[in-house]
Amino acid sequence: MSEALRAVRLRGCGSPRKFGVAARSLRGLLRKGCRLLQLPLPGSRLCLYEDGTELTESYFRALPPQTELVLLGPGETWRGSAGASDIERFLAAFYNQRDAVVEAARKLLSDEQGPRRQKLLADLIHNLNENILAEDKEDDKKWFEGLESRFKNKSSYMRYSCESRIRSYMKEVSSFISNVHPTARDAYKRIIVLMSDKLKSVKYNGCYFDRREEEAVRLCTTEGWFSCQGPFDRDDCLDKHSINPYSNRESRILFSTWNLDHINVEETIYNNKDLEAYCIITLSKKFYHKHWVSEQLLKSSEVAHFLKTQAKITNLVD
């Protein structure tokens, strides 16, 4: 006789969102949870939200219905709800009443006349109705509206989006060659070839936007959150911009206009008096510091030769 289904409330480490999950065994629950929260199965484990006690199979079979659990990925720890930060406790309390908050906000919005308050209420409702963890098309059909039918899950589209974006950047770089001084054009062309070959070898780094990838190669969290990396000449963003294109269709569309380092390349380059020098310096910063190509490429003799030639042309050095 098979074990009865046991229903629990499951959350990720540090996340206020809870999900109802049912399973017949601890292993089955772990497998379902890892799939839901996009965590690797090896090294993941379950523990009690209240005190951090790690579950065993026998412990799982003795759990009361709707026990709150935390799914920990490799290397994560949970000290229990008493050890949660103030922000975690606030968000948990807020999300526990999410449906009530949404309903109250809708009622307020229906009678609100002030544009600013209308915007705040509409944004609140919009954000609380996000479906971030849904991955497949059948679980969030609205997210896929306007996309080609070949995309069956969010991560595959985001990977394609990243590849397309970097291809377009590379195309823009190539088209700039007419603005490079004739003396430096051959060196510039060789740099473009080196960059193109490198990007092709890593499939244009589509992994950067894919939340299913390993942490070392993606630019987002496991839930799909991207944080602005700041202007190209800084290592951080003072405004703490963030966005999750996995959350809803509107955020997906907005993310397509996002520059992760505040730079509008075309506008900046073509308004700079030292066009050629600025172009290669900007690209060097983007392609290395912003994860496009390897440091070895930027230290190559081709780049060094171009910079030396260009510096003489533009009198940037004696």
Side-chain angles (χ1 to χ4, degrees):
M1 184 176 177
S2 62
E3 290 284 339
L5 283 170
R6 297 182 182 278
V8 300
R9 289 179 295 164
L10 186 64
R11 68 165 74 205
C13 183
S15 172
R17 299 192 67 183
K18 291 181 286 187
F19 302 88
V21 183
R24 300 182 190 279
S25 66
L26 178 62
R27 182 68 177 176
L29 179 61
L30 188 60
R31 188 161 43 248
K32 286 184 178 181
C34 287
R35 189 163 55 245
L36 178 66
L37 299 181
Q38 297 291 309
L39 290 174
L41 185 59
S44 293
R45 60 215 186 278
L46 289 158
C47 67
L48 294 179
Y49 171 74
E50 184 178 5
D51 61 11
T53 300
E54 192 166 327
L55 264 63
T56 62
E57 191 66 54
S58 59
Y59 201 153
F60 170 75
R61 289 196 294 268
L63 288 177
Q66 301 301 322
T67 297
E68 191 165 343
L69 304 177
V70 178
L71 175 58
L72 301 175
E76 292 181 333
T77 59
W78 180 255
R79 296 172 296 170
S81 57
S85 66
D86 291 340
I87 187 64
E88 287 172 335
R89 284 193 291 270
F90 169 77
L91 291 175
F94 186 78
Y95 272 89
N96 283 341
Q97 302 296 322
R98 183 179 61 176
D99 292 343
V101 172
V102 170
E103 183 61 26
R106 282 178 174 152
K107 290 180 179 178
L108 290 171
L109 182 59
S110 64
D111 297 326
E112 182 57 59
Q113 300 300 317
R116 181 172 180 272
R117 288 189 290 272
Q118 285 179 339
K119 178 67 165 55
L120 290 173
L121 289 168
D123 285 348
L124 175 61
I125 295 169
H126 175 76
N127 291 331
L128 288 176
N129 282 325
E130 291 175 340
N131 197 2
I132 290 177
L133 294 182
E135 175 68 19
D136 297 330
K137 189 172 184 177
E138 60 263 25
D139 296 326
D140 193 357
K141 293 181 179 179
K142 187 174 181 180
W143 192 91
F144 291 85
E145 290 180 1
L147 300 182
E148 297 177 37
S149 59
R150 63 190 173 101
F151 297 112
K152 305 302 181 184
N153 57 65
K154 293 179 179 180
S155 294
S156 64
Y157 172 76
M158 292 303 300
R159 177 179 285 269
Y160 165 80
S161 173
C162 183
E163 292 174 3
S164 298
R165 184 182 292 206
I166 294 183
R167 284 176 188 271
S168 71
Y169 290 162
M170 197 65 234
K171 185 176 180 180
E172 186 177 347
V173 172
S174 300
S175 68
F176 184 76
I177 193 166
S178 62
N179 295 292
V180 177
H181 193 281
T183 309
R185 281 180 188 170
D186 286 344
Y188 188 80
K189 288 178 182 178
R190 288 193 290 272
I191 293 171
I192 290 175
V193 171
L194 286 172
M195 287 181 171
S196 295
D197 289 345
K198 178 64 177 178
L199 289 171
K200 288 176 183 177
S201 71
V202 293
K203 298 181 179 179
Y204 292 90
N205 290 321
C207 55
Y208 289 158
F209 289 3
D210 189 342
R211 65 182 180 181
R212 301 169 302 182
E213 284 286 353
E214 297 295 326
E215 183 176 2
V217 298
R218 54 178 159 79
L219 298 182
C220 60
T221 68
T222 54
E223 289 187 334
W225 284 100
F226 289 80
S227 296
C228 179
Q229 298 176 358
F232 83 103
D233 56 351
R234 291 185 57 90
D235 292 328
D236 57 1
C237 172
L238 298 178
D239 294 317
K240 306 299 181 184
H241 297 129
S242 63
I243 189 172
N244 192 329
Y246 288 85
S247 60
N248 50 54
R249 179 175 178 270
E250 291 76 12
S251 294
R252 167 176 64 77
I253 294 172
L254 179 60
F255 183 73
S256 68
T257 69
W258 246 54
N259 289 315
L260 297 179
D261 56 6
H262 287 225
I263 287 181
N264 183 322
V265 180
E266 182 176 358
E267 179 182 344
T268 305
I269 288 176
Y270 290 101
N271 285 331
N272 193 284
K273 64 178 181 179
D274 297 319
L275 295 178
E276 300 92 340
Y278 189 85
C279 178
I280 195 62
I281 292 169
T282 299
L283 289 172
S284 296
K285 185 69 173 178
K286 273 180 164 290
F287 273 72
Y288 171 47
H289 181 65
K290 300 308 181 186
H291 313 283
W292 283 20
V293 294
S294 66
E295 180 180 13
Q296 288 73 24
L297 173 58
L298 296 177
K299 291 181 178 179
S300 70
S301 58
E302 299 292 352
V303 173
H305 175 70
F306 177 86
L307 289 173
K308 183 178 179 181
T309 303
Q310 193 55 43
K312 289 180 179 179
I313 295 168
T314 56
N315 295 317
L316 293 179
V317 298
D318 295 331

